Amino acid sequence: MNMKKRVLIYGASGHGKVILDILEKIPEVEVAGFFDTDAAKDGIDFCGYMITHKTDESLSDARAKGVDFAVISIGDGVERERVAGWLREKDFKFFTAIHPSAVVGKGAEIGEGTVIAATAVVNPYAKVGRHVIINTGAAVEHDNIIGDYVHIAPGANLGGAVSVGDFSEVFTNATVLPKVTIGVHVIVGAGAVVLKDVPDNTVVVGNPAREIKKRS
């Protein structure tokens, strides 16, 4: 009797390849293929799995065939939220994909649908929201609070007790000092060093990080 969790990956993308690699390393998971909004990809082989064009009918058919779980492989947080709504309407649950080499500390809380990539670290008593990406080698220190639909990019380093608001992105090799608060819909540029709080809807870059524009 097959007791594995059948999981589809939504989004035939580069990030989808990363998620596939994680899922294939988890013994209790069976990958059920890729879904995508692009009709031109329907039926195409992607990393050894078939892509299915997302329609109401195809999602319902997957559920009828025992595919209970999904992981969303889309980089943009707003789009991840939209897709999560579609899948929730079809009664999918969301699988939390954690690479075996990642470290999740004591008391840490990880939300549904979140992806934690290879060698990433989430230290004790951090709280990570729903559909977050903690990418390769990123460090989320103790007592961080990470909102929903956030992306912490490869090599980013968040000091202790940092807060990151919903939909924000902390890009590659950025550093956020302890106890700093990052607002919602913020972009922290690659390599930035954030020394003080960043207000909502702001883009910051540089060392020390400085605001360069507002986001609409």
Side-chain angles (χ1 to χ4, degrees):
M1 185 176 180
N2 185 4
M3 299 299 292
K4 289 189 174 185
K5 294 178 178 179
R6 302 194 68 205
V7 182
L8 69 83
I9 302 171
Y10 194 103
S13 62
H15 184 51
K17 296 176 182 178
V18 173
I19 293 174
L20 174 62
D21 182 64
I22 296 171
L23 296 181
E24 288 185 331
K25 288 179 167 65
I26 300 174
E28 64 268 26
V29 166
E30 177 186 334
V31 178
F34 287 85
F35 274 62
D36 201 278
T37 52
D38 186 354
K41 295 180 180 179
D42 191 49
I44 293 175
D45 180 273
F46 187 77
C47 301
Y49 295 86
M50 189 182 77
I51 300 172
T52 301
H53 176 226
K54 174 264 174 189
T55 63
D56 285 344
E57 183 180 1
S58 65
L59 289 175
S60 296
D61 185 55
R63 286 290 292 115
K65 292 178 179 177
V67 181
D68 294 328
F69 293 88
V71 183
I72 302 170
S73 59
I74 295 171
D76 180 79
V78 173
E79 186 63 18
R80 282 205 302 286
E81 181 187 40
R82 191 190 336 270
V83 170
W86 294 340
L87 294 171
R88 198 174 290 111
E89 287 175 359
K90 296 298 179 183
D91 295 321
F92 282 95
K93 303 171 189 176
F94 296 104
F95 189 80
T96 301
I98 302 175
H99 194 281
S101 69
V103 176
V104 178
K106 178 180 178 179
E109 299 177 14
I110 311 297
E112 67 176 13
T114 285
V115 175
I116 303 180
T119 70
V121 177
V122 178
N123 267 327
Y125 299 99
K127 295 182 179 180
V128 178
R130 299 172 300 149
H131 302 285
V132 173
I133 303 168
I134 309 294
N135 224 320
T136 310
V140 174
E141 264 298 342
H142 64 86
D143 301 301
N144 273 208
I145 299 175
I146 309 298
D148 298 336
Y149 306 101
V150 169
H151 180 197
I152 309 299
N157 191 333
L158 309 185
V162 163
S163 177
V164 181
D166 297 348
F167 301 101
S168 289
E169 301 181 75
V170 180
F171 278 104
T172 306
N173 293 328
T175 298
V176 182
L177 266 60
K179 299 183 180 179
V180 165
T181 295
I182 305 294
V184 302
H185 289 286
V186 167
I187 291 178
V188 176
V193 179
V194 183
L195 307 180
K196 60 184 181 180
D197 293 355
V198 180
D200 297 349
N201 305 304
T202 302
V203 180
V204 297
V205 300
N207 180 7
R210 66 193 186 281
E211 179 181 328
I212 59 168
K213 66 179 179 179
K214 292 290 187 182
R215 302 183 72 189
S216 58

